[in-house]
Structures are given as C-alpha cells and as structure tokens.
Amino acid sequence: MADGFAKFISLDMSLSDQGRGQTLRSFAMKMVFISISLSIVISLAVILIGSALGLLPVPLAEAVSYSIAMGWIVGGLVAGILCTVLAKAILQLRESQAEFERLSRTDTLSGLANRRAFNQEFEEIQNNASLAIFDLDRFKSINDNFGHSAGDLVIKRVARAIEDVFGDFHCVARLGGEEFGVIVCGGERKDRVALIEMARVRVACLSVNFEGNLLQTTVSVGIAEIEPSRSKHDTFALADKALYIAKAAGRNRLCHSDGFARVERNETVGMALQAAS
C-alpha cells in the first residue's frame, strides 16, 4: 500500500521529458488533492478527540462542517502555492540542463558544434552523405606574425563563412585547432562536392581586419563518401588522407578520396599485369 501511495504522488518525469507542462499540472493536482485530504482527515481526527473529551466549543456537526470548509480553503491554497514554486524550480532546472547540454556540444570559440557533437552525428549517418575535412592553410604564420588573438578572430570568421554555406541542414563542427568537419547530407554526390567547393571559395575570399591589418587565409579540403560498407574510422581516414594530398598538391583546393583510390587501383592492376607477363 505504501508503495502504491508513493507511486501515486511521485513526479514521473525525467528532465528530458517533452510533455513537461502536462506532467507538472498533473503533479500539482495530485499534491492539492492530497494536501486537502490530509488536512481534512487530521482536522476530523482532532475534532473527534475533542468531542470525546468534551472540549469542542461548538456542536460536532458544525465543527465538522467548519473543518471540511477550512481544509479545502487553507489546504488548497497552501498546496497550490507550494506546487507553483516547485513547478517553477523544476522548469528552471530543466532549462539549465538543456543549456548545459547545448554548451557541452558547442565549441566555445567558433560557436559551431564541437568534436563530441560531430562524432555523435557522424555515427548516425549511414549513406547518401559526404564527409569533408577543412584545414586552414599556413595558419601558424598568422599566430606567429599577429598573435593568437588574430588567429582566434580568423577562426571565428572562417567558421561563420563555412556555416553560412551549409546552413542548419548539414552538420558543421570545429574539430580542433584550425580543422573543421562537415557532414554534407542528401542530394547527388556532385552537388555535395559543389557545395564544399563553394565553402572553400568563400573562405579564400575572406578578408579579416585585425588592428588595421587585412588577414587572408585559404583552406584545403579532404572528402570521403559515407557508405554502409565502410566503417566510420576508415571513412575519416580516407578524408584525412585526401586532405593531406590536397595540402601536398599546393593547398587551397579540395581532393576527393575516390580520385586517389582509382589511381591506386590502376597502379595495383598495372603492377599485377607486369608481374604476370
């Protein structure tokens, strides 16, 4: 019985519950009902004891009527106030948790998603998407020549430029340092690559004013297709290798992993044919 009562009065709501308003109202109604009921029961018990001892200043029926009326008025008022305060406290706690969760998934410098959020999104994507890794070219020279404040400003502006191209539909994140990751979803592969190229051009056209100095930078980009038959680790490794090739080829360009994969396959076939002959 005690377990059943505890279950009845419990606030069955997690902090991530979407129906919080309905749940809180239900909880408040439970508390008001219980408070009034307990108030009436206790008052009646006191009245009966007083009646048995001959201590009631009014007739028993009148005392009972007063007790029930006051139980509804006082008990309901007190319970209503307490439940309102509790409901506000719970909602504030939920909002604080939501804000904490948002901050835990956000890169503080760029305002983009951080690596944790990116990895979670990356694990959920199965196909019809491309992974692009952006890396600022010769970023160290900006920090060395103008200081880390200039470097931070460049990262902020580059992050905004990349985000403006991809919008909210695609996952854009700062992976760390001067490296950004984008999961480009939907459409044809050529359209995804065109969007990535647009972001590269947008960064190349940036001019960042830092204390009267116009700073410019470019990005190199490595791309790999996300496929169900390939592990996420291998996909990231392919994009990273494509990025390395883009850097080695002169920077400020993109390289798709399928391009060097075909070259490697052709070289392997050629070597096999030579060995066979």
Side-chain angles (χ1 to χ4, degrees), residues 21-248:
Q22 184 65 34
T23 306
L24 288 174
R25 283 192 294 272
S26 175
F27 176 74
M29 291 174 65
K30 285 182 183 180
M31 291 300 99
V32 171
F33 174 77
I34 292 171
S35 298
I36 293 174
S37 299
L38 289 177
S39 176
I40 292 174
V41 168
I42 293 172
S43 297
L44 289 177
V46 172
I47 289 172
L48 291 175
I49 293 173
S51 177
L53 298 176
L55 301 176
L56 290 182
V58 295
L60 177 61
E62 188 176 346
V64 170
S65 299
Y66 285 149
S67 173
I68 294 175
M70 293 305 295
W72 274 100
I73 296 172
V74 177
L77 181 62
V78 172
I81 293 173
L82 291 176
C83 287
T84 299
V85 173
L86 177 61
K88 289 183 178 179
I90 292 174
L91 287 176
Q92 289 176 354
L93 180 61
R94 293 171 62 89
E95 291 170 357
S96 298
Q97 190 211 28
E99 179 64 11
F100 175 79
E101 177 65 18
R102 185 189 68 80
L103 291 175
S104 71
R105 295 170 54 85
T106 303
D107 176 67
T108 54
L109 177 60
S110 66
L112 300 176
N114 60 18
R115 185 153 200 150
R116 171 175 174 258
F118 180 84
N119 288 340
Q120 290 177 349
E121 183 78 15
F122 188 37
E123 288 299 323
E124 294 175 1
I125 300 295
Q126 296 301 319
N127 54 21
N128 196 32
S130 302
L131 168 66
I133 303 177
F134 292 71
D135 192 87
L136 295 183
D137 297 325
R138 299 186 176 90
F139 180 72
K140 185 175 181 298
S141 65
I142 295 177
N143 283 332
D144 292 344
N145 295 327
F146 301 98
H148 289 280
S149 295
D152 289 348
L153 181 59
V154 169
I155 285 177
K156 291 178 183 178
R157 296 292 174 80
V158 168
R160 189 180 305 169
I162 295 175
E163 188 177 32
D164 285 346
V165 172
F166 292 103
D168 297 330
F169 183 72
H170 311 283
C171 178
V172 184
R174 182 184 176 213
L175 303 182
E178 64 271 26
E179 189 173 78
F180 301 85
V182 182
I183 302 172
V184 191
C185 305
E188 299 292 332
R189 171 179 145 173
K190 61 181 179 61
D191 297 326
R192 297 195 294 267
V193 172
L195 201 60
I196 296 168
E197 172 66 7
M198 186 186 301
R200 182 197 67 77
V201 173
R202 181 74 65 88
V203 173
C205 294
L206 273 180
S207 290
V208 180
N209 191 326
F210 177 77
E211 297 179 352
N213 299 294
L214 287 180
L215 308 180
Q216 291 185 302
T217 187
T218 58
V219 288
S220 299
V221 191
I223 309 170
E225 295 304 305
I226 300 175
E227 300 173 354
S229 59
R230 182 187 296 150
S231 72
K232 294 299 191 294
H233 178 271
D234 290 343
T235 302
F236 201 95
L238 283 171
D240 202 45
K241 185 175 180 181
L243 173 62
Y244 174 81
I245 293 175
K247 292 278 190 181

